[in-house]
Amino acid sequence: AGLQPRADAWSATVAALLGWQGFHVAVLFTMGLYVCARAWNGRLRPDARASLDNTALLWHYVSLQGLAAMGIVYLMPQLG
């Protein structure tokens, strides 16, 4: 998009939002690998679902955070 984070504040804000989202996606990927490893070893039980539930909760948070960030990035220039 031709953004240069060192050039102006808006580009730096977009870069920060992308970095924040990227960090959470990396954490979610790591959690997903952990849940998959537990599933492959038969260690996910119906009565002990904390790993699966926490991963699902983070999945929803990261999805909503990404949608909110996209909305901010696309709507703010039109409002200003």
Side-chain angles (χ1 to χ4, degrees):
L3 296 174
Q4 297 177 359
R6 294 183 184 193
D8 57 27
W10 180 247
S11 296
T13 301
V14 172
L17 288 171
L18 285 172
W20 187 251
Q21 183 71 15
F23 168 74
H24 283 89
V25 167
V27 170
L28 185 61
F29 181 74
T30 304
M31 288 176 71
L33 287 176
Y34 174 75
V35 169
C36 286
R38 285 184 59 95
W40 292 328
N41 288 324
R43 295 191 184 261
L44 280 181
R45 299 184 328 232
D47 61 336
R49 302 173 28 109
S51 297
L52 186 60
D53 289 344
N54 287 329
T55 303
L57 186 63
L58 187 67
W59 175 275
H60 295 327
Y61 169 75
V62 170
S63 299
L64 289 175
Q65 174 183 284
L67 291 173
M70 283 193 309
I72 289 170
V73 167
Y74 285 113
L75 292 177
M76 286 299 286
Q78 295 174 1
L79 296 175

Coordinates of all heavy atoms in Angstrom, one line a residue:
A1 N 0.8 -1.2 0.0 CA 0.0 0.0 0.0 C 0.9 1.2 0.0 O 0.3 2.3 0.0 CB -0.9 0.0 1.2
G2 N 2.1 1.1 0.0 CA 3.0 2.2 0.0 C 3.2 3.0 1.3 O 3.6 4.1 1.4
L3 N 2.8 2.3 2.4 CA 2.9 2.9 3.7 C 4.4 2.8 4.2 O 5.0 1.8 4.1 CB 2.0 2.2 4.7 CG 0.5 2.3 4.4 CD1 -0.3 1.5 5.4 CD2 0.1 3.8 4.5
Q4 N 4.8 3.9 4.8 CA 6.2 3.9 5.4 C 6.0 4.3 6.8 O 5.8 5.5 7.1 CB 7.1 4.9 4.6 CG 7.3 4.5 3.2 CD 8.1 5.5 2.4 OE1 8.5 6.6 3.0 NE2 8.4 5.3 1.2
P5 N 6.2 3.4 7.8 CA 5.9 3.7 9.2 C 6.8 4.8 9.8 O 6.4 5.5 10.7 CB 6.2 2.4 9.9 CG 6.0 1.3 8.8 CD 6.4 2.0 7.5
R6 N 7.9 5.1 9.2 CA 8.8 6.2 9.7 C 8.4 7.5 9.1 O 8.9 8.5 9.6 CB 10.2 5.9 9.5 CG 10.7 4.7 10.2 CD 12.2 4.4 10.0 NE 12.5 3.2 10.7 CZ 13.8 2.8 10.9 NH1 14.7 3.6 10.5 NH2 14.0 1.7 11.6
A7 N 7.5 7.5 8.1 CA 7.2 8.8 7.5 C 6.2 9.6 8.2 O 6.3 10.8 8.3 CB 6.8 8.5 6.0
D8 N 5.1 8.9 8.6 CA 4.0 9.7 9.3 C 3.3 8.8 10.3 O 3.5 7.6 10.4 CB 3.0 10.2 8.3 CG 2.4 9.1 7.4 OD1 2.3 8.0 7.8 OD2 2.0 9.5 6.2
A9 N 2.5 9.4 11.1 CA 1.8 8.7 12.2 C 0.8 7.7 11.7 O 0.7 6.6 12.4 CB 1.1 9.8 13.1
W10 N 0.1 8.0 10.6 CA -0.9 7.0 10.2 C -0.2 5.7 9.7 O -0.7 4.6 10.1 CB -1.7 7.6 9.0 CG -2.7 6.6 8.5 CD1 -2.8 6.0 7.3 CD2 -3.9 6.1 9.3 NE1 -3.8 5.2 7.2 CE2 -4.5 5.2 8.4 CE3 -4.4 6.3 10.6 CZ2 -5.7 4.5 8.8 CZ3 -5.5 5.6 10.9 CH2 -6.1 4.8 10.1
S11 N 0.8 5.8 9.0 CA 1.6 4.6 8.6 C 2.1 3.8 9.8 O 2.1 2.6 9.8 CB 2.7 5.0 7.6 OG 2.2 5.5 6.5
A12 N 2.6 4.6 10.8 CA 3.1 3.9 12.0 C 1.9 3.2 12.7 O 2.1 2.1 13.3 CB 3.8 4.9 12.9
T13 N 0.8 3.8 12.8 CA -0.4 3.2 13.4 C -0.8 2.0 12.7 O -1.1 0.9 13.4 CB -1.6 4.2 13.5 OG1 -1.1 5.4 14.2 CG2 -2.8 3.6 14.2
V14 N -0.9 2.0 11.4 CA -1.2 0.8 10.6 C -0.2 -0.3 10.9 O -0.6 -1.5 11.1 CB -1.4 1.1 9.1 CG1 -1.6 -0.1 8.3 CG2 -2.6 2.1 8.9
A15 N 1.1 0.0 10.9 CA 2.1 -1.0 11.1 C 2.0 -1.6 12.5 O 2.1 -2.8 12.7 CB 3.5 -0.3 10.9
A16 N 1.7 -0.7 13.5 CA 1.5 -1.2 14.9 C 0.3 -2.2 15.0 O 0.4 -3.2 15.6 CB 1.3 -0.1 15.9
L17 N -0.8 -1.8 14.3 CA -2.0 -2.7 14.3 C -1.7 -4.0 13.6 O -2.1 -5.1 14.1 CB -3.2 -2.0 13.6 CG -3.8 -0.9 14.4 CD1 -4.8 -0.1 13.5 CD2 -4.5 -1.4 15.6
L18 N -0.9 -4.0 12.5 CA -0.5 -5.2 11.9 C 0.4 -6.1 12.7 O 0.2 -7.3 12.8 CB 0.1 -4.9 10.5 CG -0.8 -4.5 9.4 CD1 0.0 -4.0 8.2 CD2 -1.7 -5.6 9.0
G19 N 1.3 -5.4 13.4 CA 2.2 -6.1 14.3 C 1.5 -6.8 15.5 O 1.7 -7.9 15.8
W20 N 0.5 -6.0 16.1 CA -0.3 -6.6 17.2 C -1.1 -7.8 16.7 O -1.2 -8.8 17.4 CB -1.1 -5.4 17.7 CG -1.9 -5.8 18.9 CD1 -3.2 -5.9 19.0 CD2 -1.4 -5.9 20.3 NE1 -3.6 -6.2 20.3 CE2 -2.5 -6.2 21.1 CE3 -0.1 -5.9 20.8 CZ2 -2.3 -6.5 22.5 CZ3 0.0 -6.1 22.2 CH2 -1.0 -6.4 23.0
Q21 N -1.7 -7.6 15.6 CA -2.5 -8.7 15.0 C -1.6 -9.9 14.7 O -2.0 -11.1 15.0 CB -3.3 -8.3 13.8 CG -4.2 -9.3 13.2 CD -5.4 -9.6 14.1 OE1 -5.8 -8.8 15.0 NE2 -6.1 -10.7 13.8
G22 N -0.5 -9.7 14.1 CA 0.4 -10.8 13.8 C 0.9 -11.5 15.0 O 1.1 -12.7 15.0
F23 N 1.2 -10.8 16.1 CA 1.6 -11.4 17.3 C 0.5 -12.4 17.8 O 0.8 -13.5 18.2 CB 1.9 -10.4 18.4 CG 2.1 -10.9 19.8 CD1 3.2 -11.6 20.1 CD2 1.1 -10.8 20.7 CE1 3.4 -12.2 21.4 CE2 1.2 -11.3 22.0 CZ 2.4 -12.0 22.3
H24 N -0.7 -11.9 17.8 CA -1.8 -12.7 18.3 C -2.1 -13.9 17.4 O -2.4 -15.0 17.9 CB -3.1 -11.9 18.5 CG -3.0 -11.1 19.7 ND1 -2.5 -9.8 19.8 CD2 -3.4 -11.4 21.0 CE1 -2.6 -9.3 21.0 NE2 -3.1 -10.3 21.8
V25 N -1.9 -13.8 16.1 CA -2.0 -14.9 15.2 C -0.9 -15.9 15.5 O -1.2 -17.1 15.5 CB -2.0 -14.4 13.7 CG1 -1.8 -15.6 12.8 CG2 -3.2 -13.6 13.4
A26 N 0.3 -15.5 15.8 CA 1.4 -16.4 16.1 C 1.1 -17.2 17.4 O 1.3 -18.4 17.5 CB 2.7 -15.7 16.2
V27 N 0.6 -16.5 18.4 CA 0.2 -17.1 19.6 C -0.9 -18.1 19.4 O -0.9 -19.3 19.9 CB -0.2 -16.1 20.7 CG1 -0.8 -16.8 21.9 CG2 1.0 -15.2 21.1
L28 N -1.9 -17.7 18.6 CA -3.0 -18.6 18.3 C -2.5 -19.9 17.5 O -3.0 -21.0 17.8 CB -4.1 -17.9 17.5 CG -5.3 -18.7 17.2 CD1 -6.1 -19.0 18.4 CD2 -6.2 -17.8 16.3
F29 N -1.6 -19.7 16.6 CA -1.0 -20.8 15.9 C -0.3 -21.8 16.8 O -0.5 -23.0 16.7 CB -0.1 -20.3 14.8 CG 0.6 -21.4 14.0 CD1 -0.2 -22.0 13.0 CD2 1.9 -21.7 14.2 CE1 0.4 -23.0 12.2 CE2 2.5 -22.7 13.4 CZ 1.7 -23.4 12.4
T30 N 0.4 -21.2 17.8 CA 1.1 -22.1 18.8 C 0.1 -22.8 19.6 O 0.3 -24.0 19.9 CB 2.0 -21.2 19.6 OG1 3.0 -20.5 18.8 CG2 2.8 -22.1 20.6
M31 N -0.9 -22.2 20.0 CA -2.0 -22.8 20.8 C -2.7 -23.9 20.0 O -3.0 -25.0 20.5 CB -3.0 -21.8 21.3 CG -2.5 -20.9 22.4 SD -3.6 -19.6 22.9 CE -4.8 -20.6 23.8
G32 N -2.9 -23.6 18.7 CA -3.5 -24.6 17.9 C -2.6 -25.9 17.7 O -3.1 -27.0 17.7
L33 N -1.3 -25.7 17.6 CA -0.4 -26.8 17.5 C -0.5 -27.7 18.8 O -0.4 -28.9 18.8 CB 1.0 -26.4 17.2 CG 1.3 -25.9 15.8 CD1 2.7 -25.4 15.7 CD2 1.0 -26.9 14.8
Y34 N -0.5 -26.9 19.9 CA -0.6 -27.6 21.2 C -1.9 -28.5 21.3 O -1.8 -29.6 21.8 CB -0.5 -26.6 22.3 CG -0.7 -27.2 23.7 CD1 0.3 -27.9 24.3 CD2 -1.9 -27.0 24.4 CE1 0.1 -28.4 25.6 CE2 -2.1 -27.5 25.7 CZ -1.1 -28.2 26.3 OH -1.3 -28.7 27.5
V35 N -3.0 -27.9 20.9 CA -4.3 -28.6 21.0 C -4.3 -29.8 20.0 O -4.7 -30.9 20.4 CB -5.5 -27.7 20.7 CG1 -6.8 -28.4 20.5 CG2 -5.6 -26.7 21.9
C36 N -3.7 -29.6 18.9 CA -3.6 -30.7 17.9 C -2.7 -31.8 18.5 O -3.1 -33.0 18.3 CB -3.1 -30.2 16.6 SG -4.3 -29.3 15.6
A37 N -1.6 -31.5 19.1 CA -0.7 -32.5 19.7 C -1.5 -33.3 20.8 O -1.3 -34.5 20.8 CB 0.5 -31.8 20.2
R38 N -2.2 -32.6 21.6 CA -3.0 -33.3 22.6 C -4.1 -34.2 22.0 O -4.3 -35.3 22.5 CB -3.7 -32.2 23.5 CG -2.7 -31.6 24.5 CD -3.3 -30.7 25.5 NE -4.4 -31.3 26.3 CZ -4.1 -31.8 27.5 NH1 -2.9 -31.7 28.0 NH2 -5.1 -32.4 28.2
A39 N -4.7 -33.7 20.9 CA -5.7 -34.5 20.3 C -5.1 -35.8 19.6 O -5.7 -36.9 19.7 CB -6.5 -33.7 19.2
W40 N -4.0 -35.6 19.0 CA -3.3 -36.7 18.4 C -2.9 -37.8 19.4 O -2.8 -39.0 19.1 CB -2.1 -36.3 17.5 CG -2.6 -35.5 16.3 CD1 -3.7 -35.6 15.6 CD2 -1.8 -34.4 15.7 NE1 -3.7 -34.7 14.6 CE2 -2.6 -33.9 14.6 CE3 -0.6 -33.8 16.0 CZ2 -2.2 -32.9 13.8 CZ3 -0.2 -32.8 15.2 CH2 -1.0 -32.3 14.1
N41 N -2.6 -37.4 20.6 CA -2.1 -38.3 21.6 C -3.3 -38.8 22.5 O -3.1 -39.5 23.5 CB -1.1 -37.6 22.5 CG 0.2 -37.5 21.8 OD1 0.6 -38.4 21.0 ND2 0.9 -36.4 22.0
G42 N -4.5 -38.4 22.2 CA -5.7 -38.8 22.9 C -5.8 -38.2 24.3 O -6.4 -38.8 25.2
R43 N -5.3 -37.0 24.4 CA -5.3 -36.4 25.8 C -6.4 -35.3 25.9 O -6.5 -34.6 26.9 CB -4.0 -35.8 26.1 CG -2.9 -36.8 26.2 CD -1.7 -36.3 26.8 NE -0.6 -37.3 26.9 CZ -0.3 -37.9 27.9 NH1 -1.0 -37.7 29.1 NH2 0.6 -38.8 27.9
L44 N -7.2 -35.1 24.9 CA -8.4 -34.2 25.0 C -9.6 -35.0 25.5 O -10.0 -35.9 24.8 CB -8.7 -33.5 23.6 CG -7.8 -32.4 23.2 CD1 -8.3 -31.8 21.9 CD2 -7.8 -31.3 24.2
R45 N -10.0 -34.7 26.6 CA -11.2 -35.4 27.2 C -12.4 -34.5 27.3 O -12.2 -33.3 27.5 CB -10.8 -35.9 28.6 CG -9.6 -36.9 28.7 CD -9.4 -37.4 30.1 NE -9.8 -36.4 31.1 CZ -9.0 -36.0 32.1 NH1 -7.8 -36.5 32.2 NH2 -9.4 -35.1 33.0
P46 N -13.6 -35.1 27.2 CA -14.8 -34.2 27.3 C -14.9 -33.5 28.6 O -15.5 -32.5 28.7 CB -15.9 -35.2 27.1 CG -15.3 -36.4 26.5 CD -13.9 -36.5 26.9
D47 N -14.4 -34.1 29.7 CA -14.6 -33.5 31.0 C -13.4 -32.5 31.4 O -13.5 -31.9 32.4 CB -14.7 -34.6 32.1 CG -13.4 -35.4 32.2 OD1 -12.7 -35.5 31.2 OD2 -13.2 -36.0 33.3
A48 N -12.4 -32.4 30.5 CA -11.3 -31.5 30.8 C -11.0 -30.8 29.5 O -10.1 -31.2 28.7 CB -10.1 -32.3 31.3
R49 N -11.7 -29.7 29.2 CA -11.6 -29.0 27.9 C -11.0 -27.7 28.0 O -11.2 -26.8 27.1 CB -13.0 -28.8 27.4 CG -13.8 -30.1 27.2 CD -15.3 -29.8 26.8 NE -15.4 -28.5 26.1 CZ -15.7 -28.4 24.8 NH1 -15.9 -29.5 24.1 NH2 -15.8 -27.3 24.2
A50 N -10.2 -27.4 29.0 CA -9.7 -26.0 29.2 C -8.8 -25.6 28.0 O -8.9 -24.5 27.5 CB -8.9 -26.0 30.5
S51 N -8.0 -26.5 27.5 CA -7.1 -26.2 26.4 C -7.9 -25.8 25.1 O -7.6 -24.8 24.5 CB -6.1 -27.3 26.0 OG -5.3 -27.6 27.1
L52 N -8.9 -26.6 24.8 CA -9.7 -26.4 23.7 C -10.5 -25.1 23.8 O -10.6 -24.3 22.9 CB -10.6 -27.6 23.4 CG -11.4 -27.6 22.1 CD1 -10.5 -27.5 20.9 CD2 -12.3 -28.9 22.1
D53 N -11.1 -25.0 25.0 CA -12.0 -23.8 25.2 C -11.2 -22.5 25.1 O -11.6 -21.5 24.6 CB -12.7 -23.9 26.5 CG -13.8 -25.0 26.5 OD1 -14.2 -25.4 25.4 OD2 -14.2 -25.4 27.6
N54 N -10.0 -22.5 25.7 CA -9.2 -21.3 25.7 C -8.7 -21.0 24.3 O -8.6 -19.8 23.9 CB -8.0 -21.4 26.7 CG -8.4 -21.3 28.1 OD1 -9.3 -20.6 28.4 ND2 -7.7 -22.0 29.0
T55 N -8.4 -22.0 23.5 CA -8.0 -21.8 22.2 C -9.1 -21.2 21.3 O -8.9 -20.3 20.5 CB -7.4 -23.1 21.5 OG1 -6.3 -23.5 22.3 CG2 -6.9 -22.8 20.1
A56 N -10.3 -21.7 21.5 CA -11.5 -21.2 20.8 C -11.8 -19.8 21.2 O -12.1 -18.9 20.4 CB -12.7 -22.1 21.1
L57 N -11.6 -19.5 22.5 CA -11.9 -18.1 23.0 C -10.9 -17.1 22.3 O -11.2 -16.0 21.9 CB -11.8 -18.1 24.5 CG -12.1 -16.8 25.2 CD1 -13.6 -16.4 24.9 CD2 -11.8 -16.9 26.7
L58 N -9.6 -17.5 22.3 CA -8.6 -16.7 21.7 C -8.9 -16.5 20.2 O -8.7 -15.5 19.6 CB -7.2 -17.2 21.9 CG -6.1 -16.2 21.4 CD1 -6.1 -14.9 22.3 CD2 -4.7 -16.9 21.5
W59 N -9.3 -17.6 19.5 CA -9.7 -17.6 18.1 C -10.7 -16.5 17.8 O -10.6 -15.7 16.9 CB -10.2 -18.9 17.7 CG -10.7 -19.0 16.2 CD1 -11.9 -18.6 15.8 CD2 -9.9 -19.3 15.1 NE1 -12.0 -18.7 14.4 CE2 -10.8 -19.2 14.0 CE3 -8.6 -19.8 14.9 CZ2 -10.3 -19.5 12.7 CZ3 -8.2 -20.0 13.6 CH2 -9.0 -19.9 12.5
H60 N -11.8 -16.5 18.7 CA -12.8 -15.5 18.5 C -12.3 -14.1 18.8 O -12.6 -13.1 18.0 CB -14.0 -15.8 19.4 CG -14.7 -17.1 19.1 ND1 -14.8 -17.6 17.8 CD2 -15.3 -17.9 19.9 CE1 -15.5 -18.7 17.9 NE2 -15.8 -18.9 19.1
Y61 N -11.5 -13.9 19.8 CA -10.9 -12.6 20.1 C -10.1 -12.1 18.9 O -10.2 -10.9 18.5 CB -10.1 -12.6 21.4 CG -9.3 -11.4 21.6 CD1 -9.9 -10.2 22.0 CD2 -7.9 -11.3 21.3 CE1 -9.2 -9.0 22.1 CE2 -7.2 -10.2 21.5 CZ -7.9 -9.0 21.9 OH -7.1 -7.9 22.0
V62 N -9.2 -12.9 18.4 CA -8.3 -12.5 17.3 C -9.1 -12.2 16.1 O -8.8 -11.2 15.4 CB -7.2 -13.6 17.1 CG1 -6.4 -13.3 15.8 CG2 -6.3 -13.7 18.2
S63 N -10.1 -12.9 15.8 CA -11.0 -12.7 14.6 C -11.7 -11.3 14.8 O -11.7 -10.5 13.8 CB -12.0 -13.8 14.5 OG -11.4 -15.0 14.2
L64 N -12.3 -11.1 15.9 CA -12.9 -9.8 16.1 C -11.9 -8.6 16.2 O -12.2 -7.5 15.6 CB -13.7 -9.8 17.5 CG -15.0 -10.7 17.4 CD1 -15.6 -10.7 18.8 CD2 -16.0 -10.2 16.4
Q65 N -10.8 -8.8 16.7 CA -9.7 -7.8 16.8 C -9.3 -7.5 15.3 O -9.1 -6.3 15.0 CB -8.6 -8.3 17.6 CG -7.4 -7.4 17.6 CD -6.2 -8.0 18.3 OE1 -6.2 -8.0 19.5 NE2 -5.2 -8.5 17.6
G66 N -9.2 -8.5 14.5 CA -8.8 -8.2 13.1 C -9.8 -7.5 12.3 O -9.5 -6.6 11.6
L67 N -11.1 -7.8 12.6 CA -12.2 -7.1 11.9 C -12.2 -5.6 12.4 O -12.4 -4.7 11.6 CB -13.5 -7.8 12.1 CG -13.7 -9.1 11.5 CD1 -15.0 -9.8 11.9 CD2 -13.7 -9.0 9.9
A68 N -12.1 -5.4 13.7 CA -12.1 -4.1 14.2 C -10.9 -3.3 13.6 O -11.1 -2.1 13.3 CB -12.0 -4.1 15.7
A69 N -9.7 -3.9 13.6 CA -8.6 -3.2 13.0 C -8.8 -2.8 11.6 O -8.4 -1.7 11.1 CB -7.3 -4.0 13.2
M70 N -9.3 -3.7 10.8 CA -9.6 -3.4 9.4 C -10.6 -2.3 9.3 O -10.5 -1.4 8.4 CB -10.1 -4.7 8.7 CG -9.1 -5.6 8.3 SD -9.6 -6.9 7.1 CE -11.1 -7.6 7.9
G71 N -11.6 -2.3 10.1 CA -12.6 -1.3 10.1 C -12.0 0.1 10.4 O -12.3 1.1 9.8
I72 N -11.1 0.1 11.4 CA -10.5 1.4 11.8 C -9.6 1.9 10.6 O -9.6 3.0 10.3 CB -9.6 1.2 13.1 CG1 -10.6 1.0 14.3 CG2 -8.7 2.3 13.3 CD1 -9.9 0.6 15.5
V73 N -8.8 1.0 10.0 CA -7.9 1.4 9.0 C -8.6 1.9 7.8 O -8.2 2.8 7.1 CB -7.0 0.2 8.6 CG1 -6.2 0.4 7.3 CG2 -6.0 -0.1 9.8
Y74 N -9.8 1.3 7.4 CA -10.5 1.7 6.2 C -11.4 2.9 6.5 O -11.7 3.7 5.6 CB -11.3 0.5 5.6 CG -10.4 -0.5 4.9 CD1 -10.2 -1.7 5.4 CD2 -9.7 -0.1 3.8 CE1 -9.4 -2.6 4.8 CE2 -8.8 -1.0 3.2 CZ -8.7 -2.3 3.7 OH -7.8 -3.1 3.1
L75 N -12.0 3.0 7.7 CA -12.9 4.1 7.9 C -12.3 5.4 8.4 O -12.8 6.5 8.1 CB -14.0 3.6 8.9 CG -14.9 2.5 8.4 CD1 -15.9 2.1 9.5 CD2 -15.7 3.0 7.2
M76 N -11.2 5.3 9.1 CA -10.6 6.6 9.7 C -10.2 7.6 8.6 O -10.5 8.7 8.8 CB -9.5 6.2 10.6 CG -9.9 5.7 12.0 SD -10.9 6.8 12.9 CE -9.7 7.9 13.5
P77 N -9.6 7.1 7.5 CA -9.2 8.2 6.5 C -10.4 8.8 5.9 O -10.3 10.0 5.5 CB -8.4 7.4 5.5 CG -7.9 6.2 6.2 CD -9.0 5.9 7.2
Q78 N -11.5 8.2 5.8 CA -12.7 8.8 5.3 C -13.4 9.8 6.2 O -14.0 10.7 5.8 CB -13.7 7.7 4.9 CG -13.2 6.8 3.8 CD -14.2 5.6 3.6 OE1 -15.2 5.5 4.2 NE2 -13.8 4.8 2.6
L79 N -13.2 9.6 7.5 CA -13.8 10.5 8.5 C -13.0 11.7 8.7 O -13.5 12.7 9.1 CB -13.9 9.7 9.9 CG -14.9 8.5 9.9 CD1 -14.8 7.9 11.3 CD2 -16.3 9.0 9.6
G80 N -11.7 11.6 8.4 CA -10.8 12.8 8.6 C -10.6 13.6 7.5 O -10.8 14.5 7.0

